[in-house]
Amino acid sequence: MLPSLNSVAVAAVPFFIFFLFLKRFLPSGRKMGSNTLPTVPEVPGLPIIGNLLQLKEKKPHKTFTKWAETHGPVYSIRTGASTVIVINSPETAKEAMVTRFSSISTRKLSNALKILTFDKCMVATSDYDEFHKLAKRCLLTNTLGSNAQRRHRHHRETMIENIYSKLHDSLKKDPIRPINFREVFESELFGLAMKQALGKDVESIYVEEIGTLSRKEIHKVLVMDMMEGAIDIDWRDFFPYLRWIPNKSFEMNIQRKHFRRMALMNALIKDQMKRIDAGEEVNCYLDYLLSEAKTLTMDHLAMLLWETIIETADTTLVTTEWAIYQLAKDTTRQDRLYHELQKVCSSNKVKEENFSQIRYLDAVFHETLRKHSPAPLVPLRYVHEDTQIGGYHIPSGSEIAVNIYGCNMDKNYWENPEEWNPERFLDEKYDPLDLQKTMAFGAGKRACAGSLQAMLLACGAIGRLVQEFEWQLKDGEEEKVDTVGLTSQKLHPLHAVLKPRN
Ligand code: HEM
C-alpha cells in the first residue's frame, strides 16, 4: 500500500514549502458540504503527504480500525494528492456498497494494479459496465453460480480426498513429525483452480518466451508473483502530478511479472486448444468462453481465466488455514465440531448436503471469516458524483476504502470481537444458508461472486479433516498470528501435529 518512505520524503520537500505558502494565504477548508450535510472528520496529517507516514506499518486495515475509535466510523485521510474516505462500521459499509452504489461504482486502481489487471480486464476490478456484466454472467454460469458449482463438485471431492491421502501418507512415514498444512492444501487447491479454468491440472509446460516451467513454477508465476506485485508501490500513485518522473525499477518489475503471466496463460490456452481441436470437450471455463463469448480477444480470454485461478487459489486457503489453526489451538471447540459431525454423519464421510444440518461447521467458517477477514480492505472505489454516507457529505473525486476488517471488529456490533467464538453464530437470528453474516464477502452488486465456492471448499475440507484427525498445534505455533500480504494470510504456514481418530 505504501511507497518507500524515503522517496516520498525527498519528493515532498519542495511541495511542503509551497503548501505552507498556500496555506498562509488561502482560506481554510469548509466545515459543511455543499448540500449542508457536514463534511467527514479528518485524521490530522502533514501537508503534501497527508497521512502517508502514519500508514507505514503496511497493515492499513489495522491502523484504520484504531483511528475509528477516535474519529468515528467514517473519516477521511489524505494519501498524498488523494482524499480517501474510510468506512469502518457494518451499517455505513452497507450504505456505501448497497444504497450509494450508483455514485461509487467505478474503481480507482494503483499503477501496479492497472498493469496486473490489464487495465481492469477482470470481473473483480472492472467498472460496472458492459464488459463487467458479460464477464460476470459467464463466470457465474460456467464456474461460480450454484448450478455450475454442482457440476464442479467432483473436483472438490477429489481435492479433499487427495489432501486426506497426503496427510495420511506423511503420518505413515513419520507419525510425530508436524505437518505443514499449507503446503498440502495450497497445492491441491491450485490443482482444482486449474481444472475449473482449463480442464486440466498441468504438471509442466514449455513456454516459448520463458522456457519449461514445473507445476511449482506455474503456481509462482500465476499466483505468488501476482499477489506480491499487487501490493507493489509506485510513489507516483500518491502524487499523480509527478508522473512525468520515471520510476524504472517499479515499472520493470511489474511489467516483467505481467509479461510472464500472459506468456504462460497463452501457452496454457494453446495447449488446451489442441485438445478442443481434437474434439475433446471438457466442462471448464476455457471451453465455455470459447463457445459462448466469441467476441473476447486472446488477451481478454487469458485474463478472465487467470482471474478464476488467482481468486480460487488464495482467499480460500487463507480461510481454511486460519480455521484449522483456531481448532487446533482450541481442542474443546474442535471436539464439539467433531461430535456434531458424528451426530449427523455417524461413520460416513461428511458431504455437502450435510452442511446445513451441521450448524457448528457453518459457525466455524463464518467466525473465521470475521476474525481473519481474508480480504481486509475492499479495493478502492471512486466517487464520481456527490453523495452522502453516514450522514456526511461525500464529494465527487474522493475515493472510498471499505475497511472490512474494521467492520468485522466493530465493538458496537460484535461482543468481544477479538475473541474467536463460533458460538456467536449459533444465535437464531442467523440463517445457516446466509453467506453474508459478516462483511467478509463485501455487499451489494459487487459482493463476492465466489462466496459459495469458498464456503463449499472450506467447509468440506474443515469438516472432513476434523472427522479424520485430531489436530494439535506444534509447540510455539500459538504465538504465530502475524499476517502478510494483500490478503490476511498467516505469515508462518501452519504446522500441526495430527493423530488419526480411528
Ligand atoms: C473466503 C474467500 C473469499 C473472500 C473473503 C472474498 C472476498 C471478496 C470481496 C471482499 C470482494 C469485493 C467486493 C467489492 O468489491 O465490493 C470480492 C469480490 C469478488 N470475488 Fe471474492 N472472496 C473470496 C473467494 C472468492 C473465490 C473463491 C472467487 C472465485 C473463484 C472469488 C471471486 C470474486 C469475484 C469475481 C469478485 C468480484 C465480484 C464483482 O465485482 O461483481 N472470490 N471477494
Side-chain angles (χ1 to χ4, degrees), residues 97 107 123-126 128 132 136 139 143-144 196 307-316 319 365 369 373-375 377-379 381 404 439-443 445-451 453-455 457:
M97 296 161 105
R107 297 277 187 203
V123 176
T125 54
S126 57
Y128 193 60
H132 173 83
K136 188 158 177 182
L139 183 58
T143 311
L144 298 179
Q196 283 192 168
E307 173 171 18
T308 68
I309 296 172
I310 185 111
E311 283 160 356
T312 297
D314 185 68
T315 43
T316 309
T319 312
F365 174 65
L369 285 177
S373 313
L377 286 173
V378 174
R381 300 263 181 87
I404 289 184
M439 290 303 293
F441 290 121
K445 285 198 170 83
R446 301 301 293 267
C448 178
S451 52
Q453 173 176 298
M455 183 278 284
L457 280 169

Side-chain angles (χ1 to χ4, degrees), residues 164-176:
Y164 166 71
S165 303
K166 282 187 180 170
L167 294 178
H168 235 288
D169 287 349
S170 70
L171 280 184
K172 263 196 219 145
K173 274 188 215 134
D174 187 346
I176 52 168

Side-chain angles (χ1 to χ4, degrees), residues 265-395:
M265 282 309 302
N266 283 329
L268 288 165
I269 292 170
K270 280 187 190 142
D271 218 31
Q272 293 307 308
M273 277 174 157
K274 287 186 208 147
R275 160 181 66 74
I276 297 170
D277 289 344
E280 191 195 331
E281 278 184 31
V282 179
N283 171 29
C284 69
Y285 199 28
L286 169 66
D287 292 33
Y288 180 82
L289 289 176
L290 286 173
S291 79
E292 301 295 323
K294 294 198 166 80
T295 53
L296 293 177
T297 64
M298 193 66 180
D299 285 337
H300 283 147
L301 198 61
M303 284 302 297
L304 293 180
L305 291 168
W306 169 76
E307 173 171 18
T308 68
I309 296 172
I310 185 111
E311 283 160 356
T312 297
D314 185 68
T315 43
T316 309
L317 162 69
V318 172
T319 312
T320 313
E321 190 176 34
W322 276 118
I324 299 278
Y325 163 86
Q326 291 289 3
L327 290 165
K329 183 173 134 190
D330 186 339
T331 47
T332 309
R333 286 191 163 108
Q334 187 186 147
D335 286 348
R336 176 169 185 176
L337 176 58
Y338 175 67
H339 287 118
E340 296 217 5
L341 285 158
Q342 288 305 95
K343 213 162 60 195
V344 174
C345 313
S346 54
S347 58
N348 300 315
K349 292 173 193 170
V350 58
K351 293 202 178 83
E352 290 179 358
E353 47 271 29
N354 304 133
F355 290 175
S356 61
Q357 296 161 275
I358 313 167
R359 288 207 62 187
Y360 203 64
L361 179 59
D362 179 69
V364 164
F365 174 65
H366 285 283
E367 179 63 346
T368 306
L369 285 177
R370 187 196 65 77
K371 173 88 202 292
H372 301 283
S373 313
L377 286 173
V378 174
L380 291 183
R381 300 263 181 87
Y382 184 71
V383 183
H384 50 81
E385 62 185 15
D386 282 6
T387 185
Q388 54 174 287
I389 297 172
Y392 292 110
H393 172 70
I394 309 290

Side-chain angles (χ1 to χ4, degrees), residues 74-119:
V74 183
Y75 54 78
S76 78
I77 60 167
R78 276 187 318 100
T79 53
S82 310
T83 298
V84 182
I85 316 282
V86 187
I87 314 256
N88 297 279
S89 77
E91 294 84 3
T92 49
K94 279 184 196 149
E95 184 185 350
M97 296 161 105
V98 182
T99 323
R100 313 290 172 209
F101 174 75
S102 61
S103 309
I104 57 168
S105 63
T106 47
R107 297 277 187 203
K108 179 87 183 268
L109 300 186
S110 64
N111 289 337
L113 284 179
K114 266 185 220 145
I115 298 168
L116 296 179
T117 68
F118 202 59
D119 201 11

